[in-house]
Amino acid sequence: MNITKIKKILSDYLAGKLEGISSDDIMLMFEYPPEPKMGDLAFPCFKLSKVLRKSPVQIAQMLAADFLCEYVDRAEAVNGYLNIYLDKNVYTYEILSEILHAKNNYGNSDIGNGKTVVLDYSSPNVAKPFHIGHLGTTVIGHSLKLLHEKIGYKCIGINYLGDWGTQFGKLITAYKLWGDKQKIEENGLDELVNIYVKFQKESEKDESLLDTARAEFAKLEKHDAENLKLWKWFIDISFIEYETTYKQLGIKFDVITGESASYSITQPVVEELKENSLLIVDDGASIVRLDDYNMPPCMILKSDGSTIYAVRDIATVLDRKKKYKFDKCIYVTANAQILYFNQWFKVLELMGYNWDCVHIPYGTVSINGAKLATRTGNVILLKDLFSTAIEKVKEIIEEKNPNLQNKDETAEAVGVGAIVFHYLMNNRIKDINFIIEDALSFDGSTGPYAQYTYARTCSLLEKGSIDQPFNPAYQPNEEENNVAYVLSLYPEKILEAINSYEPSVITRYIIEICTAFNRFYHEHQIIGADIFRLKLTEAVKIILGDALGLICLKKPEKI
Ligand code: ARG
């Protein structure tokens, strides 16, 4: 049982009362009343007024008269709304039984069965810092993958590294001039970033360095042995650090590849564009004009004939279609790339490939009010943000629960989780100002609060057993009914999150669960009371745990 099933039953029933309006249309019209006293569902009658030639008030009254529908206690007409009150004695029990039976499969569906989704996310630029701006693509992307898997899609998560391009010419030049092998081995990515930043600064003073860098990249493109070796080494060094971050987030990719892999497949794309008369030489560079679509041209080849970002993406998507036969290909990047994706998606369409490619952009992040300055190297690294959070959580644990086992592991799960949760509370397109103290608070709508609530369910369940049947005489109280009702929204929330590509729907829903559960917890004794209460707690543990997993949070059982 869940709210979607209830809506279906109600829609069928109401369709019988509303001539000429289909159950499917009715299904889309339900709303959630702003306050529980106004019912569990509301059916607004305003849109029907024209078709039925009656006022909304009359329609609502007509619907409320002799209302008799399964699972419904009563329905009241109020100002053009039909307010529907569910029969909680039946509904609550059915929800709980179903969740306890389905466990983590509650909310699963077969909508995506037989379909494949490719998700391109995280995809950092090698040898550049993994900064707070990459948090979005990494966690939104992974969460979208988990959400799609939950409803039956086969998903392929791809980390498409920015591992090719002129920045490698710069890095190779920098290394040859000032690099220290040992220092890089010891300090990893930080040291690579140092020499890269030094290059940026020096090249402002001495422009000839840029020519050297171009020449080094040209050598790399011709697979010069020395440069190729350095390039591979830079990638390995970078990846060691990325791995730590991915591990902290519990993220694994199905495929790790990069722009460099398009090396041998871009030429056929260039040929195909020529054959389709799409390619134009403009000032030496090869471009596809997009004036008809109100966009600047899409750059395909530079004047020296070297490939750039767009043609690599086009070649790569053709290859992905061949390899994975995807039904949808999702790209998650910062909103700075909106135009870029629109451009090359259009080129793809002009080539005759009408595939479902979707770009999912997200807004920028500032921390405690400070904007990020990427070019100067003055950036906030994700690993530093994570370790600050972990340290602060450690202090809190030392103070509140000094005897906790696995302190380090827990502090990592809670610290990293706090950052991710705080980030995923907002609609992705919004620019956000990140206040670390707010993210780490144990009260309020935070990750620590949600994880703490999860741990609370675990410790309650440690104290009692749920291996007994329900006592049919027990009548759940208002707080209990409310918890069950909130849990029954889960399947719908999952679909809402997928349809809008918004993991934040799940994050906010987690807070709804926690609020409902904590109200119940504070008002009623659980241990030693009717078995219903522990079973309800178990259902909360299942759904809360599953939902936390969907937004890349770990679930410590004790905090
Ligand atoms: N490496 C790029 C960046 O950091 C993101 C790549 C996104 N994926 C893609 N297929 N273009 O900006």
Side-chain angles (χ1 to χ4, degrees), residues 39 44 146 186 390 442 492 534:
L146 300 174
E186 275 164 21
I390 294 168
F442 272 68
E492 190 172 280
L534 262 190

Side-chain angles (χ1 to χ4, degrees), residues 190-207:
D190 288 352
E191 188 55 28
L192 287 184
V193 173
N194 281 344
I195 61 168
Y196 187 78
V197 170
K198 179 159 182 176
F199 180 92
Q200 300 287 61
K201 287 205 181 114
E202 296 295 321
S203 62
E204 275 169 26
K205 288 183 253 162
D206 174 4
E207 283 192 6

